[in-house]
Amino acid sequence: MKPFRTLLGLVLLGALAGCGGSSMDSGVTVTEGEHIDFSRNTSFDGNVLTVDVGSGDSILKLNTLRDVIATEEYRPPIPNHSGRSWVLRNTAYDSTSLVYALVSWDNDDPTDYLSAGWWVHVPLANPDPADIQRAIFIDGPEIDPAHRPTMPVTGQARYTGSAGGVVQYVYGTDWGDLAGAYALGEYTATMTAVADFSSGTIAGCLGCVGDILPERRHLAGVYEDVLGIDLPDHLAPVAEYEIRFAPFAYGANSAFESTEAHVTHPTRTITEAEGFWGGSFSNVGDPNGHPRLVNGFSEAFFLEEDGSEVLLWGIFNALSDAIPPP
């Protein structure tokens, strides 16, 4: 992923979207400031989820049998699927690691799953934001790079699904007493996408259907409990922004990464914007023979006329409109 300027030292994904489809070769990870890594990062046997935290020779494995501190049910949008989310924590001699993971599995074959989430690894010797590792991930057989779909050559498919992530907002002069202050939290939104198989392109929009909604769910616990940093009480005013990703050619392997994005707001003036989105298509078909989902990552950083600065960094999972909603 193209490195973007960050508004604050620590960027952490705190909410996510996911559903879906077990292969030991599948996985998609984005570490802050890096490109998408299509490699293995979880395993799931129908009961225990394991998540790889870290990179290179320093990998720590957290799992839902040993490290879980919270869990709850999750209702996935794919028919005949069930879901659950977990918060995992590992407290080692010299570090603390946290994972938020969401898993959706096929009721007839629970090892056919899709997981999505984030992890953060904090070294206690020097918990400087620059030394903290963090990443967001999606993993499962539907996006296995060793088993890419055969893409249609004609027609279109529309996709709609959930998106979530972290939002940072530095207030400009239009905000009165809040000028210079910041808000840090999570967001949830709807991602829509259109795949044009005739031209081999995909376009998308975050916030064109419904609003981007700010929240505080998991992020506060990481900052306040692990790092001892108090977060502001106010939520970022991001409800009316729309982030449009221009049509971009997906590759022969059905994957895409694009830096073409356009940010709009009905009353705010955007003076500078950068964006990214990327991911891949499912190798499972919908009723029309098109990939049944597209998922991946998105990021937008933009400046406004009054000096306000905004960053949204997150994950999305959009299901084919040909699949009936639950």
Side-chain angles (χ1 to χ4, degrees):
M1 176 184 292
K2 176 183 177 182
F4 285 78
R5 291 167 288 176
T6 55
L7 313 183
L8 305 172
L10 176 62
V11 178
L12 172 66
L13 177 67
L16 59 107
C19 64
S22 80
S23 163
M24 294 306 295
D25 298 317
S26 63
V28 185
T29 303
V30 168
T31 304
E32 185 194 351
E34 301 295 334
H35 290 277
I36 294 178
D37 176 12
F38 291 93
S39 60
R40 183 59 177 170
N41 47 46
T42 74
S43 64
F44 185 64
D45 62 5
N47 293 295
V48 178
L49 173 72
T50 300
V51 180
D52 291 347
V53 173
S55 60
D57 297 329
S58 180
I59 297 292
L60 182 65
K61 294 182 179 291
L62 276 67
N63 67 62
T64 56
L65 183 64
R66 180 189 59 228
D67 302 304
V68 62
I69 60 174
T71 184
E72 63 183 8
E73 67 276 3
Y74 156 69
R75 190 184 303 280
I78 293 182
N80 199 41
H81 272 240
S82 298
R84 178 161 288 277
S85 67
W86 291 271
V87 179
L88 311 179
R89 178 167 177 164
N90 175 275
T91 304
Y93 173 75
D94 58 356
S95 65
T96 298
S97 299
L98 285 172
V99 174
Y100 178 73
L102 188 73
V103 175
S104 166
W105 63 86
D106 189 302
N107 291 326
D108 297 325
D109 178 12
T111 62
D112 177 17
Y113 76 100
L114 187 71
S115 65
W118 57 260
W119 58 256
V120 58
H121 180 73
V122 184
L124 298 184
N126 182 26
D128 185 274
D131 297 324
I132 295 172
Q133 292 180 287
R134 54 254 173 201
I136 50 182
F137 64 87
I138 303 174
D139 195 17
E142 294 195 46
I143 52 172
D144 186 344
H147 299 91
R148 292 299 193 192
T150 300
M151 298 297 287
V153 295
T154 60
Q156 284 190 344
R158 296 182 178 274
Y159 297 87
T160 305
S162 54
V166 64
V167 55
Q168 299 174 123
Y169 196 105
V170 176
Y171 294 91
T173 55
D174 287 348
W175 297 98
D177 293 342
L178 284 176
Y182 74 94
L184 176 63
E186 294 123 296
Y187 73 86
T188 59
T190 296
M191 176 68 82
T192 53
V194 177
D196 188 322
F197 304 117
S198 300
S199 62
T201 61
I202 182 171
C205 183
L206 183 70
C208 287
V209 174
D211 280 331
I212 300 174
L213 301 177
E215 295 183 341
R216 291 192 68 183
R217 301 176 65 187
H218 307 287
L219 193 64
V222 175
Y223 275 82
E224 297 169 355
D225 298 342
V226 179
L227 301 178
I229 299 173
D230 292 329
L231 293 182
D233 292 330
H234 42 267
L235 297 177
V238 292
E240 295 183 278
Y241 291 101
E242 295 180 356
I243 303 167
R244 300 176 185 273
F245 302 98
F248 186 80
Y250 51 80
N253 63 353
S254 82
F256 60 96
E257 292 186 55
S258 171
T259 57
E260 296 186 35
H262 182 61
V263 182
T264 60
H265 188 280
T267 60
R268 309 286 297 168
T269 301
I270 314 297
T271 59
E272 182 181 345
E274 296 177 328
F276 166 91
W277 83 318
S280 60
F281 288 87
S282 167
N283 57 24
V284 178
D286 69 6
N288 296 327
H290 302 143
R292 75 171 175 182
L293 60 84
V294 59
N295 54 27
F297 309 92
S298 66
E299 183 171 21
F301 173 83
F302 47 99
L303 306 176
E304 299 183 327
E305 192 173 44
D306 73 328
S308 294
E309 303 180 5
V310 190
L311 172 70
L312 295 104
W313 182 51
I315 196 169
F316 68 88
N317 190 77
L319 193 66
S320 167
D321 288 358
I323 297 177

